[in-house]
Amino acid sequence: MKSISFLSILSLLALTLPLVIGSDPSPLQDFCIGVNTPVNGVFVNGKFCKDPKLATADDFFFSGLHNARAVNNAVGSNVTAVNVNNLPGLNTLGISLVRIDYGVNGQNPPHTHPRATEILVVQQGTLFVGFVSSNGDGNRLFTKTLNKGDVFVFPEGLIHFQANVGRSPAVAFAALSSQNPGVVTIANTVFGSNPPINPNVLARAFQLDPKVVIDLQNKF
């Protein structure tokens, strides 16, 4: 019985360990201000830390998210990120924020965040949102139409999207569970890689004529 209990504990640890190491580590101090040079710093969690005694309120401050952003691009949206790269006080805290502006018929196209779960709230307009589960779950599509004040969660690493289905511009804010969540936009990554992926590889993967693939690559 003891050996069975010991094996059960080992199995539980094996299951939970990837969850622990797959998320941002907990801070080792009250805060760790991100700096871009190693002078008088210690390398922690991807950024050097400022001497805590030199921290100021400005290290924890970002202004301007109340301003609408231009959406004159191919997808009709604009994402303004607030992460450790422009708000250094986020270093080691495992959280960041984005504002997303959507033009009429605009979208935040299918993408993933390799290091973060995202929770989104609509401030203005109507959005059609969704995510697709992994292969092992059968690639199920989960969607919802959101209005002002509605909230939706996109699990870490899964492909997700938002589209403005209203008759006016829309705005949403989202929090992400990483100081630097990263983003992989599916179309740009697959068809706009540098150097390009061999068209024959993509043609077989997407069951398309290689000429169609080349045409898509030329767009990115």
Side-chain angles (χ1 to χ4, degrees), residues 112-158:
T112 71
H113 301 292
R115 295 181 291 278
T117 292
E118 175 181 348
I119 182 167
L120 177 142
V121 59
V122 177
Q123 185 195 47
Q124 172 187 316
T126 303
L127 297 177
F128 178 69
V129 307
F131 68 86
V132 181
S133 65
S134 62
N135 294 1
D137 189 61
N139 300 130
R140 291 190 294 157
L141 175 63
F142 296 80
T143 64
K144 201 76 174 175
T145 299
L146 307 182
N147 295 298
K148 182 178 179 179
D150 290 342
V151 174
F152 199 80
V153 175
F154 305 104
E156 180 175 341
L158 297 185

mmCIF file of all heavy atoms in Angstrom, residues 112-158:
data_model
loop_
_atom_site.group_PDB
_atom_site.id
_atom_site.type_symbol
_atom_site.label_atom_id
_atom_site.label_comp_id
_atom_site.label_asym_id
_atom_site.label_seq_id
_atom_site.Cartn_x
_atom_site.Cartn_y
_atom_site.Cartn_z
ATOM 1 N N THR A 112 -2.555 32.854 -31.613
ATOM 2 C CA THR A 112 -2.373 32.211 -30.309
ATOM 3 C C THR A 112 -1.423 33.055 -29.465
ATOM 4 O O THR A 112 -0.634 33.853 -29.992
ATOM 5 C CB THR A 112 -1.774 30.791 -30.427
ATOM 6 O OG1 THR A 112 -0.396 30.890 -30.830
ATOM 7 C CG2 THR A 112 -2.517 29.942 -31.425
ATOM 8 N N HIS A 113 -1.500 32.845 -28.153
ATOM 9 C CA HIS A 113 -0.524 33.393 -27.217
ATOM 10 C C HIS A 113 0.184 32.199 -26.572
ATOM 11 O O HIS A 113 -0.419 31.488 -25.761
ATOM 12 C CB HIS A 113 -1.204 34.258 -26.150
ATOM 13 C CG HIS A 113 -1.964 35.411 -26.721
ATOM 14 N ND1 HIS A 113 -1.348 36.473 -27.350
ATOM 15 C CD2 HIS A 113 -3.297 35.664 -26.786
ATOM 16 C CE1 HIS A 113 -2.259 37.323 -27.772
ATOM 17 N NE2 HIS A 113 -3.447 36.858 -27.450
ATOM 18 N N PRO A 114 1.435 31.950 -26.941
ATOM 19 C CA PRO A 114 2.108 30.737 -26.459
ATOM 20 C C PRO A 114 2.355 30.699 -24.964
ATOM 21 O O PRO A 114 2.577 29.619 -24.415
ATOM 22 C CB PRO A 114 3.437 30.753 -27.234
ATOM 23 C CG PRO A 114 3.637 32.172 -27.649
ATOM 24 C CD PRO A 114 2.265 32.728 -27.869
ATOM 25 N N ARG A 115 2.294 31.865 -24.306
ATOM 26 C CA ARG A 115 2.623 31.874 -22.876
ATOM 27 C C ARG A 115 1.498 32.400 -21.988
ATOM 28 O O ARG A 115 1.737 32.703 -20.827
ATOM 29 C CB ARG A 115 3.883 32.730 -22.646
ATOM 30 C CG ARG A 115 5.134 32.152 -23.300
ATOM 31 C CD ARG A 115 6.351 33.017 -23.030
ATOM 32 N NE ARG A 115 6.281 34.294 -23.711
ATOM 33 C CZ ARG A 115 6.617 34.486 -24.987
ATOM 34 N NH1 ARG A 115 7.036 33.476 -25.713
ATOM 35 N NH2 ARG A 115 6.545 35.690 -25.543
ATOM 36 N N ALA A 116 0.267 32.507 -22.498
ATOM 37 C CA ALA A 116 -0.745 33.157 -21.664
ATOM 38 C C ALA A 116 -2.175 32.753 -21.989
ATOM 39 O O ALA A 116 -2.531 32.541 -23.145
ATOM 40 C CB ALA A 116 -0.630 34.677 -21.789
ATOM 41 N N THR A 117 -2.973 32.687 -20.937
ATOM 42 C CA THR A 117 -4.427 32.681 -21.048
ATOM 43 C C THR A 117 -4.871 34.135 -21.172
ATOM 44 O O THR A 117 -4.245 35.033 -20.615
ATOM 45 C CB THR A 117 -5.051 32.037 -19.797
ATOM 46 O OG1 THR A 117 -4.732 30.642 -19.788
ATOM 47 C CG2 THR A 117 -6.559 32.223 -19.764
ATOM 48 N N GLU A 118 -5.961 34.370 -21.901
ATOM 49 C CA GLU A 118 -6.462 35.730 -22.104
ATOM 50 C C GLU A 118 -7.906 35.834 -21.636
ATOM 51 O O GLU A 118 -8.724 34.958 -21.931
ATOM 52 C CB GLU A 118 -6.373 36.086 -23.592
ATOM 53 C CG GLU A 118 -6.966 37.430 -23.964
ATOM 54 C CD GLU A 118 -6.877 37.729 -25.453
ATOM 55 O OE1 GLU A 118 -6.152 36.995 -26.158
ATOM 56 O OE2 GLU A 118 -7.541 38.677 -25.917
ATOM 57 N N ILE A 119 -8.221 36.896 -20.911
ATOM 58 C CA ILE A 119 -9.602 37.186 -20.539
ATOM 59 C C ILE A 119 -9.959 38.556 -21.101
ATOM 60 O O ILE A 119 -9.270 39.542 -20.850
ATOM 61 C CB ILE A 119 -9.828 37.108 -19.010
ATOM 62 C CG1 ILE A 119 -11.302 37.359 -18.673
ATOM 63 C CG2 ILE A 119 -8.897 38.026 -18.243
ATOM 64 C CD1 ILE A 119 -11.664 36.991 -17.247
ATOM 65 N N LEU A 120 -11.011 38.602 -21.905
ATOM 66 C CA LEU A 120 -11.365 39.791 -22.682
ATOM 67 C C LEU A 120 -12.716 40.342 -22.235
ATOM 68 O O LEU A 120 -13.660 39.575 -21.988
ATOM 69 C CB LEU A 120 -11.385 39.438 -24.165
ATOM 70 C CG LEU A 120 -11.798 40.519 -25.165
ATOM 71 C CD1 LEU A 120 -10.948 40.418 -26.430
ATOM 72 C CD2 LEU A 120 -13.273 40.398 -25.537
ATOM 73 N N VAL A 121 -12.820 41.661 -22.152
ATOM 74 C CA VAL A 121 -14.079 42.324 -21.850
ATOM 75 C C VAL A 121 -14.367 43.368 -22.927
ATOM 76 O O VAL A 121 -13.466 44.099 -23.352
ATOM 77 C CB VAL A 121 -14.064 42.975 -20.443
ATOM 78 C CG1 VAL A 121 -12.955 44.004 -20.315
ATOM 79 C CG2 VAL A 121 -15.418 43.606 -20.118
ATOM 80 N N VAL A 122 -15.593 43.403 -23.400
ATOM 81 C CA VAL A 122 -15.994 44.355 -24.436
ATOM 82 C C VAL A 122 -16.375 45.678 -23.775
ATOM 83 O O VAL A 122 -17.218 45.714 -22.874
ATOM 84 C CB VAL A 122 -17.177 43.820 -25.262
ATOM 85 C CG1 VAL A 122 -17.625 44.846 -26.292
ATOM 86 C CG2 VAL A 122 -16.799 42.516 -25.946
ATOM 87 N N GLN A 123 -15.757 46.750 -24.222
ATOM 88 C CA GLN A 123 -16.102 48.078 -23.717
ATOM 89 C C GLN A 123 -17.128 48.768 -24.608
ATOM 90 O O GLN A 123 -17.941 49.574 -24.138
ATOM 91 C CB GLN A 123 -14.855 48.959 -23.601
ATOM 92 C CG GLN A 123 -15.146 50.322 -22.955
ATOM 93 C CD GLN A 123 -14.032 51.307 -23.159
ATOM 94 O OE1 GLN A 123 -13.523 51.466 -24.265
ATOM 95 N NE2 GLN A 123 -13.633 51.976 -22.089
ATOM 96 N N GLN A 124 -17.074 48.451 -25.889
ATOM 97 C CA GLN A 124 -17.947 49.140 -26.851
ATOM 98 C C GLN A 124 -18.182 48.243 -28.046
ATOM 99 O O GLN A 124 -17.263 47.584 -28.538
ATOM 100 C CB GLN A 124 -17.266 50.440 -27.303
ATOM 101 C CG GLN A 124 -17.946 51.181 -28.435
ATOM 102 C CD GLN A 124 -17.115 52.355 -28.922
ATOM 103 O OE1 GLN A 124 -16.575 53.112 -28.128
ATOM 104 N NE2 GLN A 124 -16.992 52.507 -30.229
ATOM 105 N N GLY A 125 -19.422 48.171 -28.520
ATOM 106 C CA GLY A 125 -19.714 47.434 -29.738
ATOM 107 C C GLY A 125 -20.118 45.995 -29.501
ATOM 108 O O GLY A 125 -20.405 45.568 -28.373
ATOM 109 N N THR A 126 -20.114 45.231 -30.589
ATOM 110 C CA THR A 126 -20.518 43.822 -30.573
ATOM 111 C C THR A 126 -19.457 42.988 -31.274
ATOM 112 O O THR A 126 -19.100 43.272 -32.421
ATOM 113 C CB THR A 126 -21.874 43.622 -31.284
ATOM 114 O OG1 THR A 126 -22.861 44.445 -30.651
ATOM 115 C CG2 THR A 126 -22.316 42.176 -31.211
ATOM 116 N N LEU A 127 -18.967 41.967 -30.596
ATOM 117 C CA LEU A 127 -17.916 41.109 -31.146
ATOM 118 C C LEU A 127 -18.388 39.656 -31.214
ATOM 119 O O LEU A 127 -19.067 39.161 -30.310
ATOM 120 C CB LEU A 127 -16.653 41.163 -30.274
ATOM 121 C CG LEU A 127 -15.932 42.497 -30.153
ATOM 122 C CD1 LEU A 127 -14.749 42.354 -29.195
ATOM 123 C CD2 LEU A 127 -15.457 42.992 -31.511
ATOM 124 N N PHE A 128 -18.008 38.996 -32.302
ATOM 125 C CA PHE A 128 -18.155 37.546 -32.408
ATOM 126 C C PHE A 128 -16.782 36.958 -32.121
ATOM 127 O O PHE A 128 -15.811 37.264 -32.824
ATOM 128 C CB PHE A 128 -18.624 37.154 -33.811
ATOM 129 C CG PHE A 128 -18.757 35.674 -34.015
ATOM 130 C CD1 PHE A 128 -19.750 34.952 -33.370
ATOM 131 C CD2 PHE A 128 -17.891 34.992 -34.857
ATOM 132 C CE1 PHE A 128 -19.886 33.581 -33.556
ATOM 133 C CE2 PHE A 128 -18.013 33.624 -35.051
ATOM 134 C CZ PHE A 128 -19.015 32.917 -34.397
ATOM 135 N N VAL A 129 -16.678 36.144 -31.071
ATOM 136 C CA VAL A 129 -15.373 35.646 -30.639
ATOM 137 C C VAL A 129 -15.409 34.121 -30.551
ATOM 138 O O VAL A 129 -16.478 33.507 -30.461
ATOM 139 C CB VAL A 129 -14.967 36.223 -29.268
ATOM 140 C CG1 VAL A 129 -15.050 37.749 -29.275
ATOM 141 C CG2 VAL A 129 -15.839 35.661 -28.136
ATOM 142 N N GLY A 130 -14.214 33.528 -30.550
ATOM 143 C CA GLY A 130 -14.169 32.088 -30.393
ATOM 144 C C GLY A 130 -12.763 31.547 -30.324
ATOM 145 O O GLY A 130 -11.789 32.260 -30.569
ATOM 146 N N PHE A 131 -12.673 30.268 -29.940
ATOM 147 C CA PHE A 131 -11.392 29.554 -29.955
ATOM 148 C C PHE A 131 -11.635 28.118 -30.376
ATOM 149 O O PHE A 131 -12.766 27.614 -30.325
ATOM 150 C CB PHE A 131 -10.681 29.630 -28.598
ATOM 151 C CG PHE A 131 -11.349 28.870 -27.476
ATOM 152 C CD1 PHE A 131 -11.094 27.517 -27.264
ATOM 153 C CD2 PHE A 131 -12.225 29.516 -26.605
ATOM 154 C CE1 PHE A 131 -11.704 26.824 -26.226
ATOM 155 C CE2 PHE A 131 -12.839 28.832 -25.562
ATOM 156 C CZ PHE A 131 -12.577 27.482 -25.372
ATOM 157 N N VAL A 132 -10.550 27.460 -30.811
ATOM 158 C CA VAL A 132 -10.613 26.072 -31.261
ATOM 159 C C VAL A 132 -9.774 25.217 -30.322
ATOM 160 O O VAL A 132 -8.627 25.558 -30.016
ATOM 161 C CB VAL A 132 -10.079 25.937 -32.706
ATOM 162 C CG1 VAL A 132 -10.164 24.487 -33.169
ATOM 163 C CG2 VAL A 132 -10.872 26.843 -33.650
ATOM 164 N N SER A 133 -10.350 24.123 -29.854
ATOM 165 C CA SER A 133 -9.623 23.242 -28.942
ATOM 166 C C SER A 133 -8.540 22.469 -29.700
ATOM 167 O O SER A 133 -8.475 22.485 -30.932
ATOM 168 C CB SER A 133 -10.577 22.277 -28.241
ATOM 169 O OG SER A 133 -11.164 21.381 -29.175
ATOM 170 N N SER A 134 -7.706 21.763 -28.978
ATOM 171 C CA SER A 134 -6.564 21.056 -29.563
ATOM 172 C C SER A 134 -7.005 19.811 -30.338
ATOM 173 O O SER A 134 -8.158 19.374 -30.263
ATOM 174 C CB SER A 134 -5.580 20.655 -28.464
ATOM 175 O OG SER A 134 -6.211 19.752 -27.551
ATOM 176 N N ASN A 135 -6.058 19.215 -31.067
ATOM 177 C CA ASN A 135 -6.344 18.019 -31.860
ATOM 178 C C ASN A 135 -6.945 16.906 -31.015
ATOM 179 O O ASN A 135 -7.881 16.226 -31.439
ATOM 180 C CB ASN A 135 -5.064 17.507 -32.530
ATOM 181 C CG ASN A 135 -4.526 18.470 -33.569
ATOM 182 O OD1 ASN A 135 -5.081 19.532 -33.784
ATOM 183 N ND2 ASN A 135 -3.422 18.093 -34.203
ATOM 184 N N GLY A 136 -6.389 16.712 -29.820
ATOM 185 C CA GLY A 136 -6.855 15.632 -28.953
ATOM 186 C C GLY A 136 -8.296 15.799 -28.515
ATOM 187 O O GLY A 136 -8.958 14.824 -28.137
ATOM 188 N N ASP A 137 -8.787 17.027 -28.551
ATOM 189 C CA ASP A 137 -10.181 17.299 -28.174
ATOM 190 C C ASP A 137 -11.079 17.386 -29.409
ATOM 191 O O ASP A 137 -12.257 17.732 -29.297
ATOM 192 C CB ASP A 137 -10.257 18.607 -27.373
ATOM 193 C CG ASP A 137 -11.619 18.849 -26.761
ATOM 194 O OD1 ASP A 137 -12.059 18.012 -25.942
ATOM 195 O OD2 ASP A 137 -12.263 19.865 -27.118
ATOM 196 N N GLY A 138 -10.523 17.109 -30.574
ATOM 197 C CA GLY A 138 -11.345 17.091 -31.780
ATOM 198 C C GLY A 138 -11.486 18.428 -32.474
ATOM 199 O O GLY A 138 -12.378 18.605 -33.309
ATOM 200 N N ASN A 139 -10.602 19.401 -32.122
ATOM 201 C CA ASN A 139 -10.653 20.727 -32.759
ATOM 202 C C ASN A 139 -12.056 21.338 -32.703
ATOM 203 O O ASN A 139 -12.571 21.872 -33.683
ATOM 204 C CB ASN A 139 -10.178 20.651 -34.211
ATOM 205 C CG ASN A 139 -8.753 20.161 -34.333
ATOM 206 O OD1 ASN A 139 -8.462 19.250 -35.102
ATOM 207 N ND2 ASN A 139 -7.845 20.753 -33.586
ATOM 208 N N ARG A 140 -12.659 21.274 -31.520
ATOM 209 C CA ARG A 140 -14.002 21.846 -31.350
ATOM 210 C C ARG A 140 -13.940 23.370 -31.324
ATOM 211 O O ARG A 140 -13.026 23.958 -30.750
ATOM 212 C CB ARG A 140 -14.641 21.346 -30.054
ATOM 213 C CG ARG A 140 -14.998 19.869 -30.091
ATOM 214 C CD ARG A 140 -15.847 19.487 -28.887
ATOM 215 N NE ARG A 140 -15.089 19.606 -27.654
ATOM 216 C CZ ARG A 140 -15.651 19.775 -26.452
ATOM 217 N NH1 ARG A 140 -16.966 19.894 -26.341
ATOM 218 N NH2 ARG A 140 -14.893 19.842 -25.371
ATOM 219 N N LEU A 141 -14.937 23.991 -31.967
ATOM 220 C CA LEU A 141 -15.032 25.446 -32.017
ATOM 221 C C LEU A 141 -16.008 25.936 -30.955
ATOM 222 O O LEU A 141 -17.159 25.495 -30.899
ATOM 223 C CB LEU A 141 -15.507 25.893 -33.405
ATOM 224 C CG LEU A 141 -15.786 27.390 -33.593
ATOM 225 C CD1 LEU A 141 -14.512 28.205 -33.409
ATOM 226 C CD2 LEU A 141 -16.411 27.643 -34.958
ATOM 227 N N PHE A 142 -15.533 26.870 -30.105
ATOM 228 C CA PHE A 142 -16.359 27.484 -29.069
ATOM 229 C C PHE A 142 -16.530 28.958 -29.426
ATOM 230 O O PHE A 142 -15.538 29.691 -29.529
ATOM 231 C CB PHE A 142 -15.681 27.371 -27.702
ATOM 232 C CG PHE A 142 -15.498 25.960 -27.218
ATOM 233 C CD1 PHE A 142 -14.454 25.172 -27.680
ATOM 234 C CD2 PHE A 142 -16.382 25.408 -26.296
ATOM 235 C CE1 PHE A 142 -14.275 23.870 -27.229
ATOM 236 C CE2 PHE A 142 -16.220 24.111 -25.843
ATOM 237 C CZ PHE A 142 -15.169 23.330 -26.310
ATOM 238 N N THR A 143 -17.769 29.410 -29.633
ATOM 239 C CA THR A 143 -17.990 30.797 -30.041
ATOM 240 C C THR A 143 -19.075 31.449 -29.189
ATOM 241 O O THR A 143 -19.906 30.771 -28.580
ATOM 242 C CB THR A 143 -18.419 30.892 -31.521
ATOM 243 O OG1 THR A 143 -19.688 30.245 -31.689
ATOM 244 C CG2 THR A 143 -17.386 30.258 -32.430
ATOM 245 N N LYS A 144 -19.061 32.784 -29.203
ATOM 246 C CA LYS A 144 -20.062 33.563 -28.483
ATOM 247 C C LYS A 144 -20.116 34.954 -29.092
ATOM 248 O O LYS A 144 -19.096 35.502 -29.527
ATOM 249 C CB LYS A 144 -19.686 33.673 -27.000
ATOM 250 C CG LYS A 144 -20.857 34.002 -26.084
ATOM 251 C CD LYS A 144 -21.749 32.795 -25.866
ATOM 252 C CE LYS A 144 -22.825 33.113 -24.838
ATOM 253 N NZ LYS A 144 -23.774 31.992 -24.683
ATOM 254 N N THR A 145 -21.297 35.534 -29.128
ATOM 255 C CA THR A 145 -21.440 36.936 -29.514
ATOM 256 C C THR A 145 -21.463 37.777 -28.252
ATOM 257 O O THR A 145 -22.279 37.535 -27.349
ATOM 258 C CB THR A 145 -22.726 37.161 -30.321
ATOM 259 O OG1 THR A 145 -22.664 36.380 -31.528
ATOM 260 C CG2 THR A 145 -22.876 38.632 -30.705
ATOM 261 N N LEU A 146 -20.547 38.741 -28.163
ATOM 262 C CA LEU A 146 -20.382 39.553 -26.957
ATOM 263 C C LEU A 146 -20.840 40.978 -27.190
ATOM 264 O O LEU A 146 -20.578 41.566 -28.241
ATOM 265 C CB LEU A 146 -18.913 39.574 -26.525
ATOM 266 C CG LEU A 146 -18.189 38.238 -26.341
ATOM 267 C CD1 LEU A 146 -16.756 38.501 -25.874
ATOM 268 C CD2 LEU A 146 -18.928 37.337 -25.374
ATOM 269 N N ASN A 147 -21.499 41.532 -26.186
ATOM 270 C CA ASN A 147 -21.886 42.938 -26.186
ATOM 271 C C ASN A 147 -21.171 43.661 -25.057
ATOM 272 O O ASN A 147 -20.424 43.042 -24.283
ATOM 273 C CB ASN A 147 -23.410 43.056 -26.044
ATOM 274 C CG ASN A 147 -24.138 42.475 -27.234
ATOM 275 O OD1 ASN A 147 -23.984 42.946 -28.355
ATOM 276 N ND2 ASN A 147 -24.937 41.435 -26.997
ATOM 277 N N LYS A 148 -21.396 44.947 -24.946
ATOM 278 C CA LYS A 148 -20.726 45.763 -23.940
ATOM 279 C C LYS A 148 -20.844 45.135 -22.554
ATOM 280 O O LYS A 148 -21.943 44.782 -22.118
ATOM 281 C CB LYS A 148 -21.314 47.168 -23.929
ATOM 282 C CG LYS A 148 -20.646 48.112 -22.939
ATOM 283 C CD LYS A 148 -21.240 49.507 -23.020
ATOM 284 C CE LYS A 148 -20.569 50.445 -22.009
ATOM 285 N NZ LYS A 148 -21.120 51.819 -22.099
ATOM 286 N N GLY A 149 -19.699 44.985 -21.883
ATOM 287 C CA GLY A 149 -19.669 44.427 -20.542
ATOM 288 C C GLY A 149 -19.531 42.924 -20.481
ATOM 289 O O GLY A 149 -19.288 42.359 -19.406
ATOM 290 N N ASP A 150 -19.658 42.233 -21.618
ATOM 291 C CA ASP A 150 -19.518 40.773 -21.635
ATOM 292 C C ASP A 150 -18.040 40.373 -21.589
ATOM 293 O O ASP A 150 -17.163 41.109 -22.061
ATOM 294 C CB ASP A 150 -20.160 40.184 -22.893
ATOM 295 C CG ASP A 150 -21.672 40.275 -22.868
ATOM 296 O OD1 ASP A 150 -22.239 40.461 -21.770
ATOM 297 O OD2 ASP A 150 -22.292 40.163 -23.944
ATOM 298 N N VAL A 151 -17.789 39.191 -21.021
ATOM 299 C CA VAL A 151 -16.422 38.695 -20.811
ATOM 300 C C VAL A 151 -16.286 37.305 -21.425
ATOM 301 O O VAL A 151 -17.223 36.501 -21.379
ATOM 302 C CB VAL A 151 -16.098 38.636 -19.296
ATOM 303 C CG1 VAL A 151 -14.734 37.992 -19.052
ATOM 304 C CG2 VAL A 151 -16.154 40.032 -18.678
ATOM 305 N N PHE A 152 -15.125 37.028 -22.006
ATOM 306 C CA PHE A 152 -14.854 35.703 -22.582
ATOM 307 C C PHE A 152 -13.396 35.349 -22.310
ATOM 308 O O PHE A 152 -12.530 36.222 -22.299
ATOM 309 C CB PHE A 152 -15.114 35.712 -24.096
ATOM 310 C CG PHE A 152 -15.303 34.345 -24.695
ATOM 311 C CD1 PHE A 152 -16.518 33.689 -24.599
ATOM 312 C CD2 PHE A 152 -14.261 33.712 -25.366
ATOM 313 C CE1 PHE A 152 -16.702 32.434 -25.162
ATOM 314 C CE2 PHE A 152 -14.428 32.462 -25.927
ATOM 315 C CZ PHE A 152 -15.654 31.814 -25.831
ATOM 316 N N VAL A 153 -13.132 34.065 -22.107
ATOM 317 C CA VAL A 153 -11.775 33.584 -21.808
ATOM 318 C C VAL A 153 -11.258 32.723 -22.950
ATOM 319 O O VAL A 153 -11.979 31.857 -23.462
ATOM 320 C CB VAL A 153 -11.756 32.771 -20.497
ATOM 321 C CG1 VAL A 153 -10.371 32.164 -20.264
ATOM 322 C CG2 VAL A 153 -12.148 33.640 -19.317
ATOM 323 N N PHE A 154 -10.003 32.964 -23.333
ATOM 324 C CA PHE A 154 -9.316 32.154 -24.343
ATOM 325 C C PHE A 154 -8.189 31.386 -23.645
ATOM 326 O O PHE A 154 -7.219 31.991 -23.175
ATOM 327 C CB PHE A 154 -8.737 33.046 -25.445
ATOM 328 C CG PHE A 154 -9.739 33.952 -26.091
ATOM 329 C CD1 PHE A 154 -9.773 35.302 -25.782
ATOM 330 C CD2 PHE A 154 -10.664 33.457 -26.997
ATOM 331 C CE1 PHE A 154 -10.696 36.151 -26.381
ATOM 332 C CE2 PHE A 154 -11.595 34.293 -27.606
ATOM 333 C CZ PHE A 154 -11.617 35.644 -27.289
ATOM 334 N N PRO A 155 -8.285 30.052 -23.566
ATOM 335 C CA PRO A 155 -7.260 29.264 -22.873
ATOM 336 C C PRO A 155 -5.876 29.399 -23.518
ATOM 337 O O PRO A 155 -5.755 29.590 -24.734
ATOM 338 C CB PRO A 155 -7.781 27.825 -22.984
ATOM 339 C CG PRO A 155 -9.261 27.982 -23.144
ATOM 340 C CD PRO A 155 -9.422 29.220 -23.982
ATOM 341 N N GLU A 156 -4.880 29.274 -22.709
ATOM 342 C CA GLU A 156 -3.489 29.438 -23.142
ATOM 343 C C GLU A 156 -3.141 28.551 -24.329
ATOM 344 O O GLU A 156 -3.431 27.352 -24.344
ATOM 345 C CB GLU A 156 -2.551 29.114 -21.979
ATOM 346 C CG GLU A 156 -1.074 29.241 -22.307
ATOM 347 C CD GLU A 156 -0.181 29.026 -21.100
ATOM 348 O OE1 GLU A 156 -0.670 29.122 -19.966
ATOM 349 O OE2 GLU A 156 1.023 28.755 -21.299
ATOM 350 N N GLY A 157 -2.529 29.158 -25.335
ATOM 351 C CA GLY A 157 -1.994 28.412 -26.464
ATOM 352 C C GLY A 157 -2.978 28.034 -27.544
ATOM 353 O O GLY A 157 -2.568 27.564 -28.615
ATOM 354 N N LEU A 158 -4.291 28.212 -27.308
ATOM 355 C CA LEU A 158 -5.278 27.797 -28.307
ATOM 356 C C LEU A 158 -5.550 28.919 -29.314
ATOM 357 O O LEU A 158 -5.540 30.099 -28.971
ATOM 358 C CB LEU A 158 -6.584 27.385 -27.634
ATOM 359 C CG LEU A 158 -6.499 26.178 -26.688
ATOM 360 C CD1 LEU A 158 -7.891 25.806 -26.178
ATOM 361 C CD2 LEU A 158 -5.847 24.980 -27.377
#
